[in-house]
Amino acid sequence: AGIAPAERRGALDSLTRAGVVSDERLARARAGLLAERGEGDGAIRWRLEGEGMAAELVERALGELEPEAARAGRIVARRGATDTTARVLARRGFSWDAIEAALEGAAGQTP
């Protein structure tokens, strides 16, 4: 408050050049945190873009995450390969391909 827009912009530019402020680092950190919380790529993309992050930064951050199917597979292993689990994964923004792969992987592990 009380800082002229030009001064604020100059300060942000200086911090960005110095590496203190990095949109890319923020996108990677937020994507990683959301993935750890059990969100799929679709939900992560929606949240980050909704927070004003550029689409190309979001895509790069998603590309650095563990594959979505592997994350979904851990949830299926914990909750069971049920219709309810599939619905939970869909609500958390996992793609249908990741959900199917996780459910098929769980089915292939049962004796």
Side-chain angles (χ1 to χ4, degrees):
I3 299 174
E7 288 180 49
R8 183 174 37 242
R9 178 70 39 248
L12 282 173
D13 288 344
S14 295
L15 291 170
T16 300
R17 281 191 305 275
V20 175
V21 174
S22 168
D23 290 343
E24 187 162 357
R25 192 170 53 236
L26 176 61
R28 284 195 318 262
R30 285 284 294 141
L33 178 64
L34 293 169
E36 287 175 17
R37 291 182 178 171
E39 295 206 22
D41 288 357
I44 295 169
R45 182 179 292 108
W46 182 81
R47 282 179 184 262
L48 296 183
E49 288 180 356
E51 292 172 5
M53 294 184 197
E56 62 272 5
L57 292 178
V58 172
E59 291 307 315
R60 280 201 303 262
L62 287 171
E64 293 180 11
L65 295 176
E66 175 183 27
E68 188 181 41
R71 298 187 329 257
R74 278 198 306 282
I75 294 170
V76 169
R78 187 174 65 246
R79 295 181 56 99
T82 65
D83 290 344
T84 301
T85 300
R87 286 191 295 275
V88 166
L89 290 170
R91 280 194 308 272
R92 290 183 180 177
F94 284 88
S95 69
W96 288 114
D97 289 342
I99 295 169
E100 287 177 346
L103 294 173
E104 289 172 5
Q109 294 177 4
T110 51

